[in-house]
Amino acid sequence: QMQLAESGGGLVQAGDSLRLSCVASGRTYSGAIMAWFRQAPGKEREFVAAISWSGADTAYAESVKGRFTISRDNAKNTVYLQMNSLKPEDTAVYYCAARDYGSVYQSRDRYSDWGQGTQVTVSS
């Protein structure tokens, strides 16, 4: 199993930016598809963004397109989520997820490994 550790969350104001990081350890990271999901209080966990091993393929939820950017540094076993123009509705616990291979899936059922999450709170 791959261990995933998120960091970078915090309390910011609307319009601010944050960059989340997720460091992978444990079983091989090579080839893994990485993704970010989020879960707001009382809501289901939802897809945010995903990225292929090479970085050539990415996918985004409609609600974050144009504001969030997913990237990865395979030499550091790390995936990032740059979040700009944050809105109060972006408030949630953000989770990093991974799967061995495949495509940039948007369903949480496709991912086998999960981090513990990092809280992002955006005040208005």
Side-chain angles (χ1 to χ4, degrees):
Q1 189 173 4
M2 187 183 299
Q3 285 75 51
L4 303 172
E6 304 95 335
S7 63
L11 172 63
V12 297
Q13 293 186 333
D16 285 351
S17 298
L18 274 178
R19 188 177 80 156
L20 305 184
S21 299
C22 171
V23 179
S25 61
R27 67 168 173 79
T28 180
Y29 174 80
S30 178
I33 307 297
M34 304 296 294
W36 289 95
F37 288 75
R38 67 186 182 186
Q39 188 167 18
K43 295 188 177 181
E44 292 190 354
R45 193 170 299 189
E46 64 175 6
F47 171 78
V48 176
I51 188 168
S52 63
W53 166 252
S54 69
D57 295 322
T58 58
Y60 293 93
E62 285 296 324
S63 59
V64 306
K65 276 185 181 178
R67 299 188 299 122
F68 290 12
T69 302
I70 189 170
S71 62
R72 65 193 296 167
D73 183 341
N74 292 334
K76 296 181 179 180
N77 289 355
T78 302
V79 62
Y80 304 98
L81 185 68
Q82 177 66 43
M83 306 186 294
N84 298 330
S85 302
L86 282 161
K87 304 175 181 180
E89 49 263 45
D90 294 318
T91 294
V93 177
Y94 282 71
Y95 296 91
C96 180
R99 59 171 288 122
D100 277 340
Y101 59 89
S103 185
V104 286
Y105 302 112
Q106 299 190 23
S107 170
R108 61 179 185 266
D109 294 339
R110 293 283 194 168
Y111 294 87
S112 56
D113 301 316
W114 293 84
Q116 294 298 308
T118 185
Q119 176 71 47
V120 172
T121 303
V122 185
S123 63
S124 57

